[in-house]
Amino acid sequence: MDFSAINWLAVVACVVASMVSGFVWYHPKVFFSAWLKEIGKTEGEMSYRTPEAMIWVLTVLSAFVQATATGFMLSVMGSNTLGAGALAGFMIWLGFVAPTNLVNKLFAGHSLKVWAIEAGNHLVNLLLFGAILAAWQ
């Protein structure tokens, strides 16, 4: 692995983009209420629970790892345009994230709607990661 092929500023931009997209995606006026209902929780059950610092640390770390891995994949694939990067992000999502997440949701007893909401957020992130990393080389 050639770490010099990674634009670390672009990786940081991807992490920020992931946090922003997650905030919008899981906003109560977007998908949070539907997701909450589908997982069998109420806002009352969630409102008292402030996320622990470790949840945020691991969330940021996960976005960092995903962005770095996406950067490596783009380097190997030779994707160096916004469109090629977004397509690579889509293929990473389609080939690895969507099916894995689907199996996890099915065995956890969650609905396809839960899968669609959660996998949709991952799709948006990987499209953004691919586009940002490929265009910003």
Side-chain angles (χ1 to χ4, degrees), residues 18 57 74:
S18 174
V57 168
L74 295 177

Side-chain angles (χ1 to χ4, degrees), residues 78-106:
S79 299
N80 59 2
T81 66
L82 189 139
L87 179 60
F90 174 76
M91 293 308 298
I92 292 167
W93 175 83
L94 183 65
F96 299 101
V97 176
T100 302
N101 188 257
L102 177 61
V103 171
N104 291 345
K105 293 299 136 197
L106 293 174

Side-chain angles (χ1 to χ4, degrees), residues 43-87:
E43 280 197 53
E45 291 174 298
M46 300 296 283
S47 64
Y48 69 89
R49 185 174 172 261
T50 303
E52 300 171 18
M54 189 53 71
I55 292 172
W56 291 107
V57 168
L58 293 174
T59 299
V60 169
L61 180 62
S62 294
F64 179 83
V65 169
Q66 281 185 321
T68 302
T70 302
F72 279 123
M73 294 290 287
L74 295 177
S75 176
V76 169
M77 296 165 67
S79 299
N80 59 2
T81 66
L82 189 139
L87 179 60

